[in-house]
Amino acid sequence: MEIAINRINAGSYIPLELNGSTLHVGSLPIDLEAERKDVTVVIDLYLSEAGVTRDKTDWFAANVSLPPIEYSAPIYGLDSEGHNAEIIPAERQPLALNQVAVTLWALPEGTTFFDYNQE
């Protein structure tokens, strides 16, 4: 997996799987590319009886940190009237997965992820 994974405490954790730019945290898919913005994005994830959720519960399970969107530099040149103008606009760059970080907190003591009902 190309992303950075940080484990905060000892125990068992929610399983992670990366398919392209979709990160599956337990049974919850997160489209990393679609979630990006022009600033750093942090997605907090919680554990409920139904599995992983973005809805706040009593058990904080993980967060996913996404880097801001980066753009290529525009290319300038002379337009047809001889004025300096943008010839090729800035383009959104693809997500660099090695800049994504997931922080995991251990599941409640004595449980595994599979003790929770997964939809």
Side-chain angles (χ1 to χ4, degrees):
M1 192 173 297
E2 298 177 43
I3 62 176
I5 301 172
N6 306 305
R7 291 173 176 83
I8 296 300
N9 49 2
S12 60
Y13 306 93
I14 296 169
L16 301 174
E17 182 180 338
L18 184 63
N19 293 320
S21 68
T22 300
L23 177 66
H24 294 267
V25 183
S27 57
L28 180 70
I30 301 172
D31 183 341
L32 302 175
E33 190 67 55
E35 295 282 348
R36 292 174 69 204
K37 299 192 179 343
D38 288 332
V39 296
T40 298
V41 173
V42 177
I43 302 167
D44 291 329
L45 301 174
Y46 300 86
L47 190 61
S48 73
E49 292 179 4
V52 180
T53 180
R54 290 182 180 212
D55 299 328
K56 189 173 183 178
T57 68
D58 291 337
W59 199 267
F60 190 71
N63 67 31
V64 179
S65 179
L66 303 174
I69 297 171
E70 293 182 356
Y71 296 90
S72 65
I75 297 176
Y76 292 91
L78 299 178
D79 64 14
S80 60
E81 297 176 4
H83 299 103
N84 195 24
E86 185 177 273
I87 307 268
I88 300 175
E91 293 183 10
R92 179 181 171 143
Q93 298 299 297
L95 173 64
L97 291 173
N98 64 349
Q99 295 180 5
V100 175
V102 177
T103 302
L104 297 170
W105 280 262
L107 298 171
E109 189 173 329
T111 64
T112 68
F113 181 67
F114 299 102
D115 292 335
Y116 294 86
N117 179 25
Q118 298 180 46
E119 298 172 346

